[in-house]
């Protein structure tokens, strides 16, 4: 009998997705410097909810816009190329000197949303009006730079607006021709002159870390802890979300939840205890046929996180229900065995 050779078993492996090539900021600066006089500029304001508004500017400001937003950035990067300036990922930085920080646009949800709205939802963007939108609610200003017929060259420079630099016409004076008079404009604004944030392609370059973090409420360490807690929650509890929605999607825009996740002990309350707890507190938290807790929106998420953090209590005195804003664990009563 002749032996039949068997083909060796093979394991099919999915090729790893290639890493995205990040922007070479030094090459970018050289290329933009060569066409800086051909760039068109648009200005957008955005409020604390990251809603953008279009706005116009007088021709007399043309001479100020590029020096105010762009030229210092180009100069900083170009000079840095000769002085050893290095680029470091924002999440890996440790306060080194002569370092320019970079992060992925996709990691900074509010910045990504802002760019998306400007690029893809332009028809829905309203023109800013002081009467309707109020300048006191404005958080920042975006300069969008474009090169004719070359959309890949589009980039954004973002600066925060401090309300202390805003003058309101009703209470401000102006000094002109040797005398004080009433301020004629609805609003006066002194723009910051420092470099803050550049968005080009899928990269964000951070020239001022504290202002970047305030502009987009981006706290990497807090976000990283929240993401770790989210992984633990997903492994511990059965949850049900609307199609296309994930726990991560809901958490990223809930500042209160992100803060609470920092100290949350995920396994302190079981699935069954959470459901029973909700019933006892007469809270609207539903489960599906498989017993999964249904999270439809941010309000359901708040309730669920409060439950597993044991943040609801009924007063033994009045019978009223309360949501606890902060807790301090008391020592065991004297003479009783410790529960810890």
């Amino acid at each position: 009998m002749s032996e039949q050779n068997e083909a060796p078993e093979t394991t099919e492996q999915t090729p790893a997705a290639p890493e995205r090539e990040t922007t070479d900021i030094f090459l970018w600066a050289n290329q933009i410097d060569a066409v800086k006089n051909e760039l068109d500029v648009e200005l957008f304001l955005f409020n604390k909810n990251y809603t953008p508004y279009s706005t116009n500017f007088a021709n007399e400001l043309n001479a100020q816009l590029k020096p105010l937003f762009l030229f210092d950035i180009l100069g900083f990067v170009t000079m840095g190329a000769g002085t050893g300036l290095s680029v470091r990922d924002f999440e890996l930085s440790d306060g080194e000197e002569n370092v320019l920080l970079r992060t992925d646009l996709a990691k900074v949800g509010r910045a990504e949303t802002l760019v998306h709205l400007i690029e893809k939802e332009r028809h829905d963007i309203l023109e800013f009006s002081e009467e309707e939108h109020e300048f006191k609610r404005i958080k920042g200003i975006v300069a969008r730079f474009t090169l004719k017929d070359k959309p890949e060259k589009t980039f954004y420079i973002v600066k925060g607006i401090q309300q202390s630099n805003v003058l309101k016409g009703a209470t401000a004076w102006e000094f002109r021709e040797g005398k004080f008079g009433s301020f004629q404009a609805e609003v006066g604004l002194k723009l910051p002159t420092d470099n803050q944030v550049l968005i080009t392609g899928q990269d964000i370059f951070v020239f001022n870390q504290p202002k970047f973090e305030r502009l987009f409420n981006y706290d990497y360490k807090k976000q990283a802890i929240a993401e770790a807690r989210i992984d633990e929650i997903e492994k511990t509890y059965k949850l049900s979300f609307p199609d296309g929605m994930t726990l991560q999607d809901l958490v990223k825009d809930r500042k209160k939840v992100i803060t609470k996740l920092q100290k949350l002990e995920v396994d302190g309350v079981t699935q069954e205890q959470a459901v029973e707890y909700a019933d006892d507190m007469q809270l609207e938290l539903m489960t599906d046929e498989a017993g999964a807790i249904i999270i439809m929106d941010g309000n359901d998420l708040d309730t669920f996180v409060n439950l597993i953090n044991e943040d609801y209590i009924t007063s033994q005195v009045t019978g009223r229900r309360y949501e606890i804003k902060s807790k301090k664990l008391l020592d065991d009563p004297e003479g009783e065995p410790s529960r810890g």
Side-chain angles (χ1 to χ4, degrees):
M1 288 180 61
S2 61
E3 295 185 359
Q4 187 176 9
N5 293 329
E6 294 184 0
E9 292 185 5
T10 60
T11 302
E12 185 175 342
Q13 294 183 345
T14 303
E19 288 190 11
R20 180 179 67 82
E21 187 174 341
T22 59
T23 302
D24 181 337
I25 191 64
F26 302 105
L27 176 61
W28 176 88
N30 285 334
Q31 292 175 338
I32 295 301
D33 188 61
V35 297
K36 61 187 178 185
N37 295 326
E38 302 170 38
L39 294 169
D40 294 321
V41 189
E42 296 174 276
L43 292 181
F44 296 86
L45 300 171
F46 63 93
N47 64 15
K48 296 175 183 178
N49 294 323
Y50 299 91
T51 301
Y53 300 99
S54 62
T55 185
N56 297 310
F57 54 88
N59 289 335
E60 63 195 58
L61 290 184
N62 273 321
Q64 295 183 24
L65 283 177
K66 290 177 184 176
L68 187 59
F69 283 91
L70 177 62
F71 290 173
D72 278 352
I73 282 181
L74 294 178
F76 176 84
V77 175
T78 302
M79 183 177 296
T83 59
L85 178 70
S86 61
V87 178
R88 177 70 63 87
D89 282 353
F90 184 90
E91 294 77 13
L92 301 177
S93 68
D94 193 24
E96 304 92 339
E97 294 185 1
N98 205 26
V99 167
L100 177 61
L101 303 180
R102 186 215 66 85
T103 191
D104 296 338
L105 177 61
K107 291 180 179 178
V108 188
R110 293 174 178 84
E112 186 179 38
T113 298
L114 195 60
V115 170
H116 172 81
L117 291 173
I118 292 173
E119 291 300 323
K120 305 298 184 183
E121 308 289 341
R122 180 71 67 95
H123 55 281
D124 290 331
I125 295 179
L126 301 176
E127 184 172 344
F128 180 80
S129 163
E130 169 62 17
E131 293 80 8
E132 296 181 25
H133 307 126
E134 296 185 289
F135 209 90
K136 67 181 180 181
R137 300 183 184 277
I138 294 301
K139 187 179 183 76
I141 186 168
V142 179
R144 178 180 184 262
F145 290 84
T146 54
L147 188 62
K148 188 176 181 180
D149 299 328
K150 292 187 177 181
E152 72 278 2
K153 296 293 186 183
T154 299
F155 61 94
Y156 306 83
I157 294 175
V158 189
K159 291 176 181 278
I161 288 178
Q162 292 182 305
Q163 289 300 317
S164 59
N165 288 334
V166 176
L167 293 175
K168 297 298 293 290
T171 57
W173 291 359
E174 65 178 22
F175 190 78
R176 180 180 296 183
E177 297 178 351
K179 60 182 179 181
F180 285 110
S182 60
F183 191 69
Q184 298 300 310
E186 293 179 353
V187 176
L189 173 64
K190 184 179 186 301
L191 281 173
T193 57
D194 59 330
N195 299 327
Q196 295 185 17
V197 179
L198 164 69
I199 303 174
T200 178
Q202 294 301 307
D203 296 295
I204 299 180
F205 290 92
V206 178
F207 294 82
N208 187 311
Q209 182 175 345
K211 291 187 178 180
F212 162 70
E213 291 173 346
R214 286 197 297 270
L215 264 172
F216 297 111
N217 291 337
Y218 186 68
D219 186 326
Y220 168 71
K221 291 181 179 178
K222 182 177 284 189
Q223 187 65 39
I225 292 171
E227 289 175 1
R229 295 290 185 275
I230 290 169
D231 287 341
E232 293 178 41
I233 289 171
E234 290 175 330
K235 293 174 182 176
T236 305
Y237 301 96
K238 291 191 297 183
L239 305 175
S240 174
F241 300 92
D243 289 344
M245 181 65 69
T246 67
L247 181 57
Q248 188 72 257
D249 293 333
L250 281 172
V251 167
K252 69 181 181 181
D253 289 324
R254 309 291 289 189
K255 189 174 181 180
K256 176 183 171 183
V257 172
I258 290 174
T259 299
K260 188 160 291 188
L261 289 176
Q262 304 302 301
K263 297 182 179 179
L264 178 67
E265 295 182 11
V266 172
D267 58 354
V269 176
T270 66
Q271 177 107 4
E272 293 74 18
Q273 287 172 331
V275 173
E276 184 178 345
Y277 188 9
D279 288 340
D280 290 344
M281 299 303 301
Q282 301 176 42
L283 300 170
E284 296 181 0
L285 193 71
M286 298 182 293
T287 58
D288 63 15
E289 295 179 355
I293 295 172
I294 299 173
I295 309 291
M296 293 297 295
D297 54 26
N299 292 328
D300 286 345
L301 176 65
D302 291 343
T303 300
F304 169 70
V305 172
N306 286 342
L307 284 168
I308 63 176
N309 199 47
E310 301 180 77
D311 284 343
Y312 296 113
I313 191 170
T314 300
S315 169
Q316 295 181 3
V317 178
T318 64
R320 292 179 178 177
R321 298 174 303 154
Y322 293 94
E323 177 187 338
I324 304 168
K325 297 297 184 181
S326 63
K327 296 185 296 187
K328 180 179 180 181
L329 186 64
L330 300 179
D331 294 333
D332 292 311
E334 187 174 345
E336 289 194 11
S338 174
R339 303 176 188 177

Short mmCIF file of all heavy atoms in Angstrom, two decimals, residues 109-133:
data_model
loop_
_atom_site.label_atom_id
_atom_site.label_comp_id
_atom_site.label_asym_id
_atom_site.label_seq_id
_atom_site.Cartn_x
_atom_site.Cartn_y
_atom_site.Cartn_z
N GLY A 109 -12.59 63.45 20.51
CA GLY A 109 -13.92 63.41 19.91
C GLY A 109 -14.50 64.77 19.60
O GLY A 109 -15.12 64.97 18.54
N ARG A 110 -14.32 65.75 20.48
CA ARG A 110 -14.92 67.06 20.26
C ARG A 110 -14.27 67.78 19.08
O ARG A 110 -14.94 68.46 18.31
CB ARG A 110 -14.83 67.89 21.53
CG ARG A 110 -15.69 67.33 22.66
CD ARG A 110 -15.48 68.08 23.96
NE ARG A 110 -16.33 67.57 25.04
CZ ARG A 110 -16.03 66.52 25.79
NH1 ARG A 110 -14.88 65.91 25.60
NH2 ARG A 110 -16.85 66.10 26.74
N ALA A 111 -12.96 67.63 18.93
CA ALA A 111 -12.28 68.23 17.79
C ALA A 111 -12.71 67.54 16.49
O ALA A 111 -12.94 68.20 15.47
CB ALA A 111 -10.77 68.14 17.97
N GLU A 112 -12.82 66.22 16.53
CA GLU A 112 -13.23 65.47 15.35
C GLU A 112 -14.64 65.87 14.92
O GLU A 112 -14.92 66.06 13.73
CB GLU A 112 -13.18 63.97 15.64
CG GLU A 112 -13.46 63.10 14.42
CD GLU A 112 -13.37 61.62 14.75
OE1 GLU A 112 -13.80 61.23 15.85
OE2 GLU A 112 -12.88 60.85 13.91
N THR A 113 -15.54 66.02 15.89
CA THR A 113 -16.91 66.44 15.59
C THR A 113 -16.94 67.83 14.99
O THR A 113 -17.67 68.09 14.02
CB THR A 113 -17.77 66.40 16.87
OG1 THR A 113 -17.82 65.05 17.35
CG2 THR A 113 -19.17 66.89 16.60
N LEU A 114 -16.15 68.73 15.53
CA LEU A 114 -16.11 70.10 15.04
C LEU A 114 -15.66 70.14 13.58
O LEU A 114 -16.28 70.80 12.74
CB LEU A 114 -15.15 70.92 15.92
CG LEU A 114 -15.21 72.43 15.81
CD1 LEU A 114 -16.59 72.96 16.15
CD2 LEU A 114 -14.16 73.06 16.71
N VAL A 115 -14.61 69.41 13.25
CA VAL A 115 -14.13 69.35 11.87
C VAL A 115 -15.18 68.72 10.96
O VAL A 115 -15.44 69.19 9.84
CB VAL A 115 -12.80 68.56 11.79
CG1 VAL A 115 -12.42 68.28 10.33
CG2 VAL A 115 -11.68 69.33 12.48
N HIS A 116 -15.82 67.65 11.43
CA HIS A 116 -16.85 66.98 10.63
C HIS A 116 -18.00 67.93 10.30
O HIS A 116 -18.47 67.99 9.16
CB HIS A 116 -17.38 65.76 11.38
CG HIS A 116 -18.56 65.12 10.72
ND1 HIS A 116 -18.44 64.24 9.65
CD2 HIS A 116 -19.90 65.25 10.94
CE1 HIS A 116 -19.64 63.86 9.26
NE2 HIS A 116 -20.55 64.46 10.03
N LEU A 117 -18.45 68.69 11.30
CA LEU A 117 -19.56 69.60 11.07
C LEU A 117 -19.20 70.69 10.06
O LEU A 117 -20.00 71.04 9.19
CB LEU A 117 -19.99 70.25 12.40
CG LEU A 117 -20.65 69.31 13.41
CD1 LEU A 117 -20.87 70.03 14.73
CD2 LEU A 117 -21.97 68.75 12.88
N ILE A 118 -17.98 71.20 10.16
CA ILE A 118 -17.55 72.25 9.22
C ILE A 118 -17.41 71.69 7.81
O ILE A 118 -17.79 72.34 6.82
CB ILE A 118 -16.24 72.88 9.70
CG1 ILE A 118 -16.47 73.67 11.00
CG2 ILE A 118 -15.64 73.80 8.64
CD1 ILE A 118 -15.22 74.20 11.65
N GLU A 119 -16.89 70.48 7.69
CA GLU A 119 -16.63 69.91 6.36
C GLU A 119 -17.86 69.25 5.74
O GLU A 119 -18.08 69.36 4.54
CB GLU A 119 -15.50 68.89 6.45
CG GLU A 119 -14.14 69.48 6.74
CD GLU A 119 -13.70 70.48 5.67
OE1 GLU A 119 -13.98 70.25 4.47
OE2 GLU A 119 -13.09 71.49 6.04
N LYS A 120 -18.66 68.57 6.56
CA LYS A 120 -19.73 67.73 6.00
C LYS A 120 -21.14 68.27 6.24
O LYS A 120 -22.08 67.83 5.58
CB LYS A 120 -19.65 66.31 6.60
CG LYS A 120 -18.28 65.64 6.43
CD LYS A 120 -17.92 65.44 4.97
CE LYS A 120 -16.59 64.69 4.85
NZ LYS A 120 -16.17 64.54 3.43
N GLU A 121 -21.30 69.16 7.21
CA GLU A 121 -22.63 69.65 7.54
C GLU A 121 -22.71 71.17 7.40
O GLU A 121 -23.44 71.83 8.13
CB GLU A 121 -22.99 69.24 8.98
CG GLU A 121 -22.83 67.77 9.31
CD GLU A 121 -23.87 66.91 8.61
OE1 GLU A 121 -24.90 67.46 8.20
OE2 GLU A 121 -23.64 65.68 8.47
N ARG A 122 -21.98 71.69 6.44
CA ARG A 122 -21.90 73.15 6.27
C ARG A 122 -23.29 73.78 6.09
O ARG A 122 -23.55 74.90 6.57
CB ARG A 122 -21.01 73.47 5.06
CG ARG A 122 -20.83 74.95 4.77
CD ARG A 122 -19.97 75.62 5.82
NE ARG A 122 -18.61 75.14 5.76
CZ ARG A 122 -17.63 75.75 5.09
NH1 ARG A 122 -17.89 76.87 4.44
NH2 ARG A 122 -16.41 75.25 5.08
N HIS A 123 -24.19 73.07 5.43
CA HIS A 123 -25.52 73.63 5.15
C HIS A 123 -26.32 73.86 6.43
O HIS A 123 -27.29 74.63 6.42
CB HIS A 123 -26.30 72.69 4.22
CG HIS A 123 -26.41 71.29 4.73
ND1 HIS A 123 -25.37 70.39 4.62
CD2 HIS A 123 -27.42 70.63 5.38
CE1 HIS A 123 -25.75 69.23 5.16
NE2 HIS A 123 -26.97 69.36 5.63
N ASP A 124 -25.94 73.20 7.51
CA ASP A 124 -26.67 73.35 8.77
C ASP A 124 -26.03 74.36 9.73
O ASP A 124 -26.58 74.62 10.80
CB ASP A 124 -26.77 72.00 9.49
CG ASP A 124 -27.70 71.03 8.78
OD1 ASP A 124 -28.65 71.51 8.12
OD2 ASP A 124 -27.48 69.81 8.87
N ILE A 125 -24.88 74.90 9.35
CA ILE A 125 -24.19 75.84 10.23
C ILE A 125 -24.80 77.23 10.10
O ILE A 125 -24.91 77.78 9.00
CB ILE A 125 -22.68 75.88 9.90
CG1 ILE A 125 -22.03 74.53 10.20
CG2 ILE A 125 -21.98 76.98 10.71
CD1 ILE A 125 -20.55 74.47 9.89
N LEU A 126 -25.20 77.79 11.23
CA LEU A 126 -25.81 79.12 11.25
C LEU A 126 -24.74 80.20 11.31
O LEU A 126 -23.63 79.98 11.82
CB LEU A 126 -26.73 79.26 12.46
CG LEU A 126 -27.89 78.25 12.56
CD1 LEU A 126 -28.64 78.47 13.87
CD2 LEU A 126 -28.83 78.38 11.38
N GLU A 127 -25.07 81.36 10.80
CA GLU A 127 -24.17 82.50 10.95
C GLU A 127 -24.34 83.08 12.35
O GLU A 127 -25.46 83.21 12.85
CB GLU A 127 -24.49 83.56 9.89
CG GLU A 127 -23.52 84.74 9.93
CD GLU A 127 -23.71 85.68 8.76
OE1 GLU A 127 -24.37 85.30 7.78
OE2 GLU A 127 -23.19 86.82 8.84
N PHE A 128 -23.22 83.40 12.99
CA PHE A 128 -23.28 83.88 14.36
C PHE A 128 -24.00 85.21 14.44
O PHE A 128 -23.79 86.13 13.64
CB PHE A 128 -21.88 84.02 14.96
CG PHE A 128 -21.91 84.51 16.37
CD1 PHE A 128 -22.17 83.65 17.42
CD2 PHE A 128 -21.71 85.87 16.66
CE1 PHE A 128 -22.23 84.10 18.73
CE2 PHE A 128 -21.76 86.32 17.97
CZ PHE A 128 -22.02 85.43 19.00
N SER A 129 -24.86 85.32 15.47
CA SER A 129 -25.57 86.57 15.76
C SER A 129 -25.53 86.78 17.26
O SER A 129 -25.89 85.88 18.03
CB SER A 129 -27.02 86.48 15.28
OG SER A 129 -27.81 87.49 15.88
N GLU A 130 -25.10 87.94 17.71
CA GLU A 130 -25.02 88.22 19.13
C GLU A 130 -26.40 88.15 19.78
O GLU A 130 -26.55 87.65 20.90
CB GLU A 130 -24.40 89.61 19.36
CG GLU A 130 -24.49 90.14 20.78
CD GLU A 130 -23.77 89.28 21.82
OE1 GLU A 130 -22.93 88.45 21.44
OE2 GLU A 130 -24.06 89.46 23.01
N GLU A 131 -27.44 88.60 19.06
CA GLU A 131 -28.78 88.58 19.62
C GLU A 131 -29.26 87.15 19.87
O GLU A 131 -29.90 86.86 20.88
CB GLU A 131 -29.77 89.29 18.69
CG GLU A 131 -29.56 90.79 18.55
CD GLU A 131 -28.44 91.14 17.59
OE1 GLU A 131 -27.95 90.21 16.91
OE2 GLU A 131 -28.06 92.32 17.54
N GLU A 132 -28.95 86.24 18.96
CA GLU A 132 -29.47 84.88 19.05
C GLU A 132 -28.54 83.93 19.81
O GLU A 132 -29.01 83.00 20.47
CB GLU A 132 -29.72 84.32 17.65
CG GLU A 132 -30.80 85.07 16.88
CD GLU A 132 -31.03 84.47 15.50
OE1 GLU A 132 -30.73 83.27 15.33
OE2 GLU A 132 -31.49 85.20 14.61
N HIS A 133 -27.22 84.13 19.71
CA HIS A 133 -26.28 83.11 20.21
C HIS A 133 -25.42 83.58 21.39
O HIS A 133 -24.87 82.74 22.10
CB HIS A 133 -25.38 82.64 19.06
CG HIS A 133 -26.15 82.20 17.86
ND1 HIS A 133 -25.93 82.73 16.60
CD2 HIS A 133 -27.15 81.30 17.72
CE1 HIS A 133 -26.75 82.16 15.73
NE2 HIS A 133 -27.51 81.30 16.39
#
